[in-house]
Every structure is written in C-alpha cells, then in structure tokens.
Amino acid sequence: MIRTVTSTLALGLAVASPAAADLAGQPFDYEVDGTVFEGYVARNTDLPETEGTVLIVHDWDGLTAYEKQRADMLAAQGYTAVAIDVYGKTNRPTNMEENQARSGALYADRDLFRARLSGSLAAAQELDGVGNDIILMGYCFGGAATLEAARAGMDIDGFVSFHGGLGTPEGQDYSMTTAPVLLLHGTADPVSGPADLAQVVGEMLDAGVEHDAQLFGGARHSFTVWGSRDYDLAADTGSWDALMGFLDAQL
C-alpha cells in the first residue's frame, strides 16, 4: 500500500526521553574479515527484556552523533538499538569528497557491502540485550544499505528505508527477500524520485515481497536530518511514527 501524507500530527521525538529511563549507550568494537569496526549500542537496562532489536545503518558520512541519538530514542521506547559501522573504525570520512569515496567504494563492490552488513548483524547478535527479533533500518545511504540487505536475503524480521537510494543494481532483485519492507520517502526527493519509487515497488510486487510505502508530500531528500536544508518536521515526525508502528507489528 502506498500512502501519501501531506501533514501529520507531531510525534514528540522526546517521548519517553532518556531522562525518564535508565538508558545505557556505549560504543563497541567488532571485526569483519579482519577489519575493525566501531558500533554503538543503547538499551534501557531497567527492562528485564527489551521489545526487540533495531539495527541502524549510518548515512554516507559514517556513524555519527546522529545515529547514536536515534539509537537512544529507540532505547527510550524499550528497544535495544545498535548503530552499526560499514566503513571501519579508522576509515571515517571527514569531508564531502571522502563521504562520496567511502560510500562509492561499497556501491562498487556489492559483495563487500553485503559481507559488512551481515558481519555487523552477526556482531550485534553477540551483544547483551539482542535477541532473535531484529529489524534493520537506515537513513539516506543507510536506507540504500537496508535495501541491499533485503535483496541479499538477510534473515531478519523487516527492513525500513528512510529517504534511501531506491535503485536496484543490475543483476539484483528481491527474489531472496523474505521479510516485510517499509519505504519512507519524500515526493520531492531529487536523489530517488517518484519514478524510482514506482520501479522498486513494482519489483517487490513481482517478487511477492510484503511491502508498504509512506510518502510525504513536498519533502525532499534528507527530511529527517536535523539542521539539513531539507529538514521537514512533519515528514520527520510522521516517518518516526510509521517506524514505531512497523516495529510494533513486526517485533
């Protein structure tokens, strides 16, 4: 189902704020094929068990305070949140040119991209508070990474892309995807526009993949990124609300 949303009730992103719960957030190191990565895990240690686990793939500028804050927000809602790293602990970009180079290297080597996603999942599964119920989500580059994992058939409970790159690389499809996919996208996105959305939805239909898409009228590319020129409060809060509904249904 595709829903077009032009306005939404504001969802307080500070609901169940970290001050109201005993939240623990900390970095952790892990290895994938000999490369060291640094992720971040957050959860409410007051809970005997969490509501499930959400993995967050970072944007093209690497794992930053943004993904960590989103992880803290999820922990405040009762989830174990793990922000993963697909670049490497000593390979963090520091400028736009390096952002493009780091993300471009993974787009050019899909086997490496998938190995780092699956290796990060395996590392997350070793952490305290992480069970078998897992959702993968990501913003922008991370949204594209989430769809890469879906096409790779990653064995988890669902995939959520926030304004991600929607194009399917040549030779790939969604025939191996076994969990639901949620697309959260702006109708004015200049990176992946309505035609790309229609294309990927058609591919999922052809593959029999359970999917949903929520559109935000007039929202541009990075509508959830605080401080971005594309930031859109209604789209940000509306997409977060959609994520909460998806997590409630799938975990």
Side-chain angles (χ1 to χ4, degrees), residues 29 98 183:
D29 287 354
E98 291 181 354
L183 304 171

Side-chain angles (χ1 to χ4, degrees), residues 38 45 49 78 83 91-92 99 115 123 129 158 160 175 183 192 225 228 238 240:
E38 182 181 79
T45 57
E49 60 182 37
N91 196 38
R92 300 287 172 83
N99 293 349
V160 184
S175 60
L183 304 171
S192 284
V225 181
S228 163
W240 187 260

Side-chain angles (χ1 to χ4, degrees), residues 8-16 54 56 66-79 81 137-139 160-163 182 184-185 214 216 223-224 226 231-248:
T8 184
L9 291 175
L11 171 72
L13 295 185
V15 169
V54 184
I56 305 171
Y66 177 83
E67 289 81 16
K68 294 176 183 178
Q69 187 166 348
R70 292 292 185 180
D72 289 342
M73 289 165 62
L74 286 163
Q77 297 295 327
Y79 298 95
M137 60 174 276
Y139 297 89
V160 184
S161 168
F162 288 80
H163 45 82
L182 174 62
L184 302 168
H185 216 72
Q214 186 158 321
F216 299 92
F223 62 77
T224 66
W226 308 303
Y231 181 74
D232 185 310
L233 176 62
D236 182 17
T237 56
S239 61
W240 187 260
D241 192 21
L243 171 66
M244 292 296 104
F246 186 81
L247 296 181
D248 185 57

Side-chain angles (χ1 to χ4, degrees), residues 79 118 131 155:
Y79 298 95
S118 62
D155 185 20

Side-chain angles (χ1 to χ4, degrees), residues 19-232:
D22 186 10
L23 300 188
Q26 60 185 11
F28 69 98
D29 287 354
Y30 61 99
E31 287 191 19
V32 179
D33 296 331
T35 298
V36 177
F37 299 85
E38 182 181 79
Y40 177 83
V41 57
R43 66 189 180 99
N44 181 351
T45 57
D46 277 345
L47 300 177
E49 60 182 37
T50 64
E51 299 293 327
T53 299
V54 184
L55 266 59
I56 305 171
V57 189
H58 56 74
D59 198 351
W60 74 335
D61 55 350
L63 178 54
T64 68
Y66 177 83
E67 289 81 16
K68 294 176 183 178
Q69 187 166 348
R70 292 292 185 180
D72 289 342
M73 289 165 62
L74 286 163
Q77 297 295 327
Y79 298 95
T80 297
V82 184
I84 64 173
D85 172 21
V86 295
Y87 286 168
K89 184 173 182 177
T90 61
N91 196 38
R92 300 287 172 83
T94 60
N95 55 51
M96 192 73 72
E97 184 177 83
E98 291 181 354
N99 293 349
Q100 189 171 28
R102 301 290 189 275
S103 58
L106 292 179
Y107 284 144
D109 188 342
R110 298 286 171 159
D111 289 338
L112 178 62
F113 202 176
R114 293 182 175 197
R116 289 185 174 181
L117 289 167
S118 62
S120 295
L121 170 63
Q125 289 173 317
E126 298 296 319
L127 297 171
D128 290 341
V130 175
N132 295 323
D133 300 323
I134 299 174
I135 296 291
L136 182 69
M137 60 174 276
Y139 297 89
C140 298
F141 167 78
T146 297
L147 296 181
E148 184 73 29
R151 292 189 297 268
M154 185 178 283
D155 185 20
I156 56 176
D157 298 285
F159 305 90
V160 184
S161 168
F162 288 80
H163 45 82
L166 301 178
T168 300
E170 185 176 355
Q172 290 192 14
D173 58 36
Y174 287 88
S175 60
M176 296 175 62
T177 307
T178 58
V181 177
L182 174 62
L183 304 171
L184 302 168
H185 216 72
T187 63
D189 191 327
V191 178
S192 284
D196 295 320
L197 180 64
Q199 177 68 30
V200 73
V201 167
E203 292 172 5
M204 291 182 191
L205 280 169
D206 290 343
V209 174
E210 183 180 344
H211 65 280
D212 198 356
Q214 186 158 321
L215 306 185
F216 299 92
R220 291 178 56 81
H221 181 56
S222 51
F223 62 77
T224 66
V225 181
W226 308 303
S228 163
R229 66 180 182 179
D230 290 345
Y231 181 74
D232 185 310

